[in-house]
Amino acid sequence: MARLYKSANLFFLPLIFFSCQVLAQHAPPETNAKPSASSESIPHVDSAQFAAKPYVLSNGIKGILVKIPSHSPVDYGPLLKGQLGPSVLLTGQLFLPAKGSKPPYAAVVETPGSGGLGPQHMDHAAALTSAGIAVLVIDPFFGRGIKDTVADQNQLTFAASAYDVLAAVKFLRSRTDIYANRIGATGGSRGGTAVLMAETAPVSDAVLGRENGLRAVVAGYPWCGVQFYSAHLADHASLLVMQGDHDDWVSFQQCQDETHAMGVAGQDVVMELFPGARHAFDREGVPPTNIPSAITSTTFPTVYMDDQGRYYNMRTGRVDPALAGQTISQYSIKGGFLKKGVTIGSEGTQAKEFSDEMVNFFKAKLAQ
C-alpha cells in the first residue's frame, strides 16, 4: 500500500473525500441507525425560478436578478497560475438592506453547498439584510447545467467553487452601492470550503491581489481535507468556522487542525464546535435526515499544498511536482476509506445559534 503514496499515476484528486458515483458500489453501506426523516423531505429553492424571478425574503426585501462572470479552473495549481478554465455566467440575486438605510453597504457573498440553494440561504440573507448588510446569493450550479453534487462531487472542482466566490467579490466591487473594502462571504459544506479557500492568502492574492481580499468569512461545516501548508489568510482577513461534533459527512478534526495552524501562524481565526450538532445544522425545520446517496470518508488523510498549489507526497512528506489531481486513486477504495450515507439537519436552537453567531461576526468585522 505504501507505493500508492508514491505513484504519481495513482495519486488522488483533492476531491477524494467526495468521491464520484462510480465508486459508490465499492463503499460499505451506512451502518448507523437511520433518522426518521427522508432526504425527499428536505426543502430546496428551485434554481430555474431563482434565475428568472426575484425572490422575496421573509423580511420583505426583494432580490435583484444578476449575472456574475466566472470560470471553472481544474485545480488550485492551475488557478494560482492564472489558468482559469472555461468561462461561465453564474446566476444570482442581490439583496440590499431595506429602504431608509443609506448606501454604500457592507456586503456578504452567500454560496450553497452540494445540495444547491435552500431556504437556509434565504434565512441568512434575511438576517443579514435586517442587520444592514447586503447579501449576494450565488448559484454555482445552474449556469453550469448541474443539479447538485451530493453523489458526484467531481462535476465541479473545489478550485472552481473558490473562484466563484472571488468572482462574486469582483462583481460587488463594480457597484457604487457596495463598500469595496467591506465584503465578506459565507457558505456551508462545499460552500463552506469554497469561502474558506477563497480567503486563503495564495488563492486570494492570485485572483484579487494583495490587500484586496475578503474582510471576513463564516465557513459552516466545511470540508478541510485539502489545506495550504502555510496556513495564511489574506491580509486583514478574519475567519469563523462553525462545525458540529456529530458531523458524519466531513471531519471536524481536520478543520480543528487547520484553524489551529492558522492561529499559530498569527491569523485572526476562531473555530466553534457545537455539541451534538450534525452536518448542515443551520437548516431550520429540517430534523436529522439521512442522505443515502452521499459518499464520504471522514478518515482519509489530509492533503497539503504549497503556495503554488503543488501537493505534498504523503509518503515522503515533501512537495512533489509530479503529483497531479487527474485521477482518483484506487488507494481510497482498497484502503476501505469510503462509506455511503450521511445525516444532515438541526435540532433545538442550533439553526438560530448559527445565524446569530454569523450575523454578530459580520457586524463586528465589516463595521468599518
Side-chain angles (χ1 to χ4, degrees):
M1 192 65 69
R3 294 185 62 183
L4 294 177
Y5 283 99
K6 287 187 172 183
S7 171
N9 293 329
L10 289 173
F11 196 70
F12 43 87
L13 281 169
L15 309 185
I16 185 64
F17 177 85
F18 297 105
S19 194
C20 66
Q21 262 182 324
V22 176
L23 300 180
Q25 59 186 318
H26 299 282
E30 175 63 52
T31 57
N32 295 333
K34 293 183 178 180
S36 57
S38 66
S39 57
E40 288 76 18
S41 66
I42 299 174
H44 291 83
V45 172
D46 184 81
S47 286
Q49 291 185 13
F50 190 76
K53 182 180 179 181
Y55 190 99
V56 180
L57 301 176
S58 60
N59 60 3
I61 292 176
K62 190 175 183 179
I64 301 168
L65 298 176
V66 298
K67 296 288 182 69
I68 302 108
S70 188
H71 289 270
S72 301
V74 298
D75 206 348
Y76 292 109
L79 168 59
L80 298 179
K81 296 175 183 177
Q83 299 169 7
L84 302 181
S87 60
V88 62
L89 203 58
L90 304 181
T91 55
Q93 293 198 32
L94 177 63
F95 299 93
L96 299 176
K99 291 180 179 179
S101 58
K102 295 182 179 180
Y105 306 105
V108 169
V109 176
E110 171 107 24
T111 186
S114 302
L117 295 169
Q120 76 274 21
H121 305 116
M122 307 308 151
D123 291 342
H124 295 170
L128 287 166
T129 51
S130 293
I133 300 172
V135 180
L136 174 57
V137 180
I138 64 173
D139 186 344
F141 297 151
F142 185 73
R144 294 183 169 103
I146 299 173
K147 179 182 178 182
D148 62 59
T149 61
V150 171
D152 185 2
Q153 297 290 344
N154 291 322
Q155 296 174 85
L156 184 65
T157 68
F158 279 82
S161 292
Y163 186 85
D164 287 346
V165 175
L166 299 181
V169 172
K170 290 182 177 181
F171 171 84
L172 287 173
R173 286 180 173 162
S174 71
R175 297 181 60 96
T176 59
D177 53 0
I178 300 297
Y179 278 114
N181 63 344
R182 293 168 59 185
I183 298 176
T186 187
S189 194
R190 169 187 268 270
T193 304
V195 297
L196 191 161
M197 294 301 286
E199 197 186 30
T200 60
V203 174
S204 180
D205 293 353
V207 178
L208 299 179
R210 292 286 304 274
E211 303 284 337
N212 287 313
L214 287 157
R215 177 70 68 84
V217 157
V218 174
Y221 41 94
W223 172 57
C224 299
V226 172
Q227 304 177 17
F228 284 102
Y229 194 83
S230 58
H232 276 77
L233 298 173
D235 294 324
H236 317 300
S238 299
L239 171 65
L240 170 62
V241 176
M242 290 191 281
Q243 214 143 11
D245 68 0
H246 276 52
D247 197 315
D248 64 354
W249 200 338
V250 299
S251 166
F252 67 83
Q253 290 96 338
Q254 287 181 319
C255 290
Q256 282 183 308
D257 292 343
E258 183 166 18
T259 54
H260 173 74
M262 289 177 175
V264 171
Q267 309 302 288
D268 183 12
V269 57
V270 174
M271 177 170 173
E272 297 183 1
L273 195 61
F274 286 65
R278 298 177 181 271
H279 199 75
F281 64 95
D282 60 334
R283 287 178 177 257
E284 184 70 51
V286 176
T289 302
N290 184 250
I291 310 295
S293 62
I295 300 172
T296 183
S297 173
T298 55
T299 60
F300 198 81
T302 303
V303 180
Y304 294 99
M305 296 181 291
D306 70 1
D307 286 357
Q308 286 74 52
R310 299 174 300 183
Y311 296 110
Y312 281 77
N313 187 311
M314 287 190 292
R315 174 64 180 82
T316 66
R318 299 183 180 91
V319 171
D320 187 346
L323 298 179
Q326 304 208 349
T327 59
I328 295 177
S329 173
Q330 290 298 310
Y331 171 53
S332 64
I333 302 172
K334 294 180 179 179
F337 291 104
L338 300 180
K339 73 170 187 177
K340 241 184 122 177
V342 302
T343 302
I344 71 167
S346 68
E347 296 179 282
T349 61
Q350 291 170 351
K352 184 180 185 306
E353 291 178 49
F354 184 103
S355 180
D356 289 347
E357 293 282 349
M358 175 195 65
V359 171
N360 289 336
F361 180 80
F362 283 129
K363 285 173 66 176
K365 300 299 182 180
L366 300 179
Q368 57 185 1

